[in-house]
Amino acid sequence: MEATVSDERPAPDRPATFREVFGQGEFRAVFAASVLSWVGDYVAKAAVTVLVYQESRSVALSAAAFAVSYLPWLVGGPLLAALAERYRHRRVMVTCDVIRMLLTVLIVLPGLPVWAILALLFAATLANPPSQAARSALLPAILTGDRLVLGLSLNASASQAAQVVGYLAGAAVAAVSPTAALLLNAATFGLSALFVQLGVHDREPTLSAAHRTHLLRETGEGFRIVFGTPVLRAISLLVFSAMLFSIVPEGLAAAWAGERSGNGLDSGAAQAVIMAANPVGYIVGGLLVGRLVSPAGRLTLMRPLAVLAPLALVPALLNPPPVVVALLAAACGFAVAGLIPTANGLFVRALPNGYRARAFGVMATGIQVIQGGAVLVTGMLADRFSVPVVVGVWSAAGVLLMLFTALRWPDRATVDAAVKAADLANAGTGSPAGGRPGSATRRPGERAPRRHAVM
């Protein structure tokens, strides 16, 4: 049955089905492993903050324990992600899961000082970039065409659901025993490694030994291909812009709820409603748009949804009650979920295989930095102005930015040319894996073609 589903290709004018995607045994293994890892990560974040607070009675150190998991992306995300290009993806994913499992077990050893807990947590999170980059590079080898877009939608929706479940489970278990929560996290990594080892084929590295230079140069090539290729640059700007505005309600939820306490919900309930709204909207949007809208329809909707994402938050200027704020945040999440998987699928099509992991490292690091920066800046503004004004004006500026980005979108000929160039490279007639971006499709003595401007 699996072979039949695998060979069956959806018609170009209809969306792929859940059965076709989950009919791929490798995708089932990667999906299950990813969900386990995500849930484990969020359980650990909740548990470690409790453990550090119990050991130190310091709110600052407890917050540092939460924030340390983001540091690897900020200090070396693209560099670490580039490792996933050099080695077999299955081996990278399994090795990273085993490392995280062992280090998490060490965290629960009795009598460890707080600095040792933070150091072990940081060491464990260093495995996140290569593991996630390997998974991102592996998915296009498992799923093709519209199945990839639906698979990305499923992954994104599952990630949002795992965040909610992981935080709730982590907080509940950690309230009784932080040690038990961390052991649960270690077990999820062990199961994840087992699923990948048994369910994923062992493919050759995308960057062969003959094309390796050194890690810094290879990392730089990841930046050059993302920002030096007009189509990839346009997609990255669209994704970064979406992240710049969609995270704000979640980041300011506590302050927003505090300003509107006494409006039918206490501040804690209002904060929870606002924070959960965007992930819920993302889950619904990812599943509905990914499954019910045709591939051509999703491409057509991509730019309108990009504008709708910040536009949905502009009514915050009217200072609505928390339930309405949650509806606005959910609408924003819905729009972003309809946009991101389609943009990601197009990004993969226009990207040579040998750059997948490195390009993922660039994009993931950019998203982490932009989201953190957006929350930091809007938080500083909210110290001087009311939260509704900050969110409303910030989102109105986002509408203008999205309109500009949409109007500068590459024309169809430019997109088709980028996809064709990537296909040639993947077929072995273009740039070799690890070669200089944009350089290897020229014959000796041939002049470099002019780049198409982003429209």
Side-chain angles (χ1 to χ4, degrees):
M1 180 178 296
E2 183 176 311
T4 303
V5 174
S6 170
D7 294 336
E8 209 176 87
R9 294 190 177 183
D13 58 345
R14 75 163 177 85
T17 66
F18 294 130
R19 183 186 176 195
E20 289 167 346
V21 172
F22 282 110
Q24 303 282 352
E26 285 189 283
F27 177 77
R28 292 196 303 271
V30 173
F31 183 82
S34 299
V35 170
L36 283 168
S37 295
W38 290 326
V39 171
D41 279 338
Y42 291 117
V43 166
K45 285 180 182 180
V48 167
T49 56
V50 174
L51 180 63
V52 170
Y53 183 74
Q54 289 180 351
E55 295 291 330
S56 67
R57 295 298 171 185
S58 168
V59 176
L61 287 175
S62 178
F66 182 88
V68 75
S69 61
Y70 294 98
L71 284 179
W73 287 109
L74 301 181
V75 302
L79 189 69
L80 293 168
L83 290 171
E85 216 89 81
R86 290 182 160 213
Y87 304 101
R88 298 170 184 263
H89 297 324
R90 188 180 74 175
R91 182 182 301 173
V92 171
M93 296 170 68
V94 170
T95 301
C96 288
D97 277 339
V98 171
I99 289 172
R100 289 184 289 188
M101 178 185 69
L102 295 176
L103 291 176
T104 303
V105 170
L106 290 178
I107 291 174
V108 304
L109 292 176
L112 281 182
V114 170
W115 67 264
I117 294 175
L118 294 178
L120 286 170
L121 181 63
F122 177 74
T125 56
L126 285 174
N128 289 349
S131 175
Q132 294 180 30
R135 182 180 66 242
S136 177
L138 178 64
L139 281 178
I142 297 173
L143 301 174
T144 58
D146 197 54
R147 291 177 184 169
L148 175 61
V149 177
L150 183 57
L152 293 171
S153 295
L154 288 167
N155 265 357
S157 297
S159 174
Q160 296 294 317
Q163 179 177 352
V164 176
V165 172
Y167 279 152
L168 290 176
V173 177
V176 179
S177 171
T179 298
L182 287 167
L183 290 175
L184 174 63
N185 177 38
T188 63
F189 288 133
L191 286 174
S192 173
L194 186 64
F195 284 149
V196 172
Q197 180 66 31
L198 297 179
V200 175
H201 296 155
D202 193 19
R203 295 172 173 83
E204 291 295 322
T206 53
L207 186 64
S208 64
H211 293 118
R212 294 177 192 170
T213 53
H214 53 77
L215 203 55
L216 285 175
R217 180 175 178 181
E218 291 164 12
T219 303
E221 288 167 354
F223 280 94
R224 283 196 295 274
I225 197 164
V226 170
F227 296 112
T229 307
V231 171
L232 298 182
R233 182 171 63 242
I235 296 171
S236 65
L237 293 177
L238 196 71
V239 171
F240 291 156
S241 298
M243 296 297 103
L244 188 62
F245 300 96
S246 62
I247 190 65
V248 171
E250 192 174 340
L252 301 185
W256 209 338
E259 288 189 8
R260 290 306 305 259
S261 60
N263 285 270
L265 293 174
D266 61 45
S267 60
Q271 178 184 352
V273 167
I274 294 172
M275 291 191 74
N278 191 277
V280 169
Y282 198 106
I283 293 169
V284 174
L287 295 178
L288 290 183
V289 176
R291 177 63 187 90
L292 300 180
V293 181
S294 68
R298 288 196 299 267
L299 286 172
T300 302
L301 286 174
M302 192 162 61
R303 282 176 285 174
L305 287 173
V307 177
L308 177 61
L311 183 62
L313 298 174
V314 172
L317 279 168
L318 303 176
N319 194 20
V323 172
V324 176
V325 172
L327 291 174
L328 298 178
C332 176
F334 185 100
V336 172
L339 155 71
I340 296 297
T342 305
N344 200 344
L346 182 58
F347 190 90
V348 169
R349 290 177 61 205
L351 180 70
N353 293 345
Y355 297 99
R356 284 177 183 168
R358 286 174 283 177
F360 171 83
V362 172
M363 295 297 294
T365 301
I367 288 172
Q368 294 285 338
V369 171
I370 285 170
Q371 287 185 321
V375 172
L376 179 63
V377 171
T378 54
M380 293 171 63
L381 291 172
D383 279 338
R384 300 190 60 186
F385 308 99
S386 70
V387 174
V389 169
V390 171
V391 175
V393 172
W394 184 265
S395 301
V399 174
L400 296 177
L401 176 61
M402 283 300 200
L403 284 171
F404 174 79
T405 304
L407 291 173
R408 296 279 296 174
W409 189 255
D411 59 24
R412 180 63 180 269
T414 305
V415 173
D416 290 344
V419 172
K420 183 178 180 180
D423 289 342
L424 289 173
N426 295 338
T429 58
S431 63
R436 184 173 299 171
S439 64
T441 56
R442 300 193 298 270
R443 296 186 180 93
E446 183 180 355
R447 292 181 61 185
R450 293 179 60 185
R451 290 188 181 272
H452 293 282
V454 177
M455 302 299 291

